């Protein structure tokens, strides 16, 4: 396949305007997952997809949080801890994790995240994607660790083929929910968005982004599994590259419970590391 040619962006505003278009496009698509090959044929700008699940993630965890994680009764014994509805089942780990996070950060200087997240894209994920009366995708909690790095917890119960190469076990695809989470974060990081109380709708966004790399970490809870994807992009570049990296793929089920996996998932949510490497952006001199 020959190399693609991309038209330069006039400015960051043009990149920002593209995010809602991509969000709505993937929201309307029927597939619940898209192969890396398909995504890397995006015509608007360069997309690079990578599998880095074999690479070790270097977390910088505050000592108080590390102690809380290691001593957590909920994490150490989820089947016997004080959980009023009994042990979690494969499709209830999102709620279980939310309660666990609340218990972990007591006395730790870390945000518990936002369960109500505003904006024209986030509000759609907050309401959820409903198909045949079943809410397949639902935005759960948003963490704004830094102005340029946010983490989004998403519940995705789409009926993916667990055996297919592009299914939930695949390492060469992104879920539709992950793509929508990425575009939502990038759009919101770049803009100030206000709600018009009189007209009951969002006002025209005001671009506040100036320059630099933006990062979105998406932690997706599926039935019995958790995926972690990180996306980075510098919208100030005239030829921006969106790099999407699958950083983690974990089993999360009482039938094969591994507390070390839960430790990592918690850290991806509360103190995600930066990418160890970045793809050079076109148009910038070394």
């Amino acid at each position: 396949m020959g190399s693609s040619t991309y038209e330069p962006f006039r400015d960051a505003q043009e990149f920002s305007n593209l995010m809602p278009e991509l969000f709505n496009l993937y929201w309307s698509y029927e597939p619940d997952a898209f192969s890396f090959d398909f995504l890397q044929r995006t015509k608007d700008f360069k997309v690079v997809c990578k599998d880095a699940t074999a690479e070790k993630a270097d977390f910088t965890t505050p000592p108080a949080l590390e102690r809380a994680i290691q001593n957590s009764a909920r994490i150490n014994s989820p089947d016997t801890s004080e959980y009023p509805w009994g042990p979690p089942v494969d499709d209830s780990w999102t709620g279980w994790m939310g309660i666990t996070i609340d218990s972990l950060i007591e006395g730790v200087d870390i945000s518990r995240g936002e369960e109500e997240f505003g904006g024209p894209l986030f509000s759609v994920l907050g309401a959820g994607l409903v198909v045949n009366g079943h809410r397949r995708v639902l935005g759960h909690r948003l963490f704004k660790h830094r102005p340029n790095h946010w983490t989004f917890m998403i519940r995705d119960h789409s009926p993916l083929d667990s055996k297919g190469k592009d299914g939930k076990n695949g390492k060469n695809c992104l879920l539709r929910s992950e793509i929508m989470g990425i575009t939502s974060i990038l759009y919101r990081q770049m803009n100030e968005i206000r709600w018009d109380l009189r007209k009951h709708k969002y006002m025209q966004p005001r671009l506040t982004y100036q320059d630099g790399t933006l990062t979105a970490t998406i932690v997706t809870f599926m039935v019995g599994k958790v995926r972690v994807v990180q996306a980075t992009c510098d919208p100030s570049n005239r030829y921006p590259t969106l790099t999407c990296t699958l950083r983690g793929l974990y089993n999360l089920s009482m039938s094969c419970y591994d507390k070390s996996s839960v430790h990592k998932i918690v850290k991806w949510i509360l103190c995600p590391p930066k990418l160890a490497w970045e793809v050079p952006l076109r148009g910038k001199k070394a």
Side-chain angles (χ1 to χ4, degrees), residues 214-233:
L214 302 177
T215 301
T217 298
I218 310 297
V219 182
T220 306
F221 289 77
M222 307 185 72
V223 177
K225 291 188 179 293
V226 174
R227 290 169 51 99
V228 179
V229 169
Q230 277 193 318
T232 60
C233 188

Side-chain angles (χ1 to χ4, degrees), residues 112-159:
R112 68 178 300 275
E114 303 173 12
E115 294 181 336
E116 295 184 5
F117 19 87
L121 307 188
F122 275 136
S123 60
V124 174
L125 286 171
L129 170 61
V130 179
V131 178
N132 297 326
H134 174 67
R135 185 175 279 108
R136 288 188 179 180
V137 175
L138 181 66
H140 186 72
R141 197 176 291 196
L142 176 68
F143 297 82
K144 299 177 181 178
H145 299 295
R146 294 179 293 278
N148 63 345
H149 189 173
W150 297 3
T151 294
F152 199 22
M153 287 176 61
I154 297 178
R155 189 191 74 194
D156 189 337
H157 289 175
S158 302

Side-chain angles (χ1 to χ4, degrees), residues 41 90 94 98 131 156 171 186 195 208 220 254 256 266 285:
R41 293 200 300 268
D90 285 355
T94 319
V131 178
D156 189 337
K171 295 184 179 181
L186 295 179
W195 178 258
T208 56
T220 306
M254 288 305 300
C256 57
V266 168
K285 296 181 180 180

Side-chain angles (χ1 to χ4, degrees), residues 13 16 118-120 144 150 185-195 202-209:
Q13 182 69 67
S16 172
K144 299 177 181 178
W150 297 3
I185 286 180
L186 295 179
Y187 185 68
R188 192 64 183 84
Q189 286 175 330
M190 296 182 70
N191 294 283
E192 178 186 13
I193 299 175
R194 296 182 178 180
W195 178 258
Y202 287 105
M203 299 179 183
Q204 185 70 20
R206 182 176 71 88
L207 186 73
T208 56
Y209 169 82

Side-chain angles (χ1 to χ4, degrees), residues 5-68:
T5 301
Y6 306 95
E7 293 294 328
F9 281 74
R10 293 188 303 273
D11 49 28
Q13 182 69 67
E14 185 178 4
F15 182 91
S16 172
N17 294 343
L18 184 59
M19 293 301 100
E21 295 180 19
L22 292 176
F23 180 95
N24 292 327
L25 181 65
Y26 281 95
W27 186 257
S28 66
Y29 280 163
E30 183 176 347
D32 295 304
F34 299 87
S35 70
F36 284 175
D37 181 64
F38 174 84
L39 295 170
Q40 290 177 149
R41 293 200 300 268
T42 299
K43 296 181 179 180
D44 300 287
F45 54 86
K46 186 175 182 180
V47 175
V48 175
C49 299
K50 292 181 176 291
D51 168 26
T53 53
E55 299 179 13
K56 181 182 178 181
D58 294 322
F59 299 100
T60 303
T61 310
L65 177 60
E66 184 65 44
R67 288 193 297 270

Side-chain angles (χ1 to χ4, degrees), residues 155-166:
R155 189 191 74 194
D156 189 337
H157 289 175
S158 302
L160 297 176
D161 179 7
S162 62
K163 296 181 180 179
K165 66 178 182 178
D166 295 333

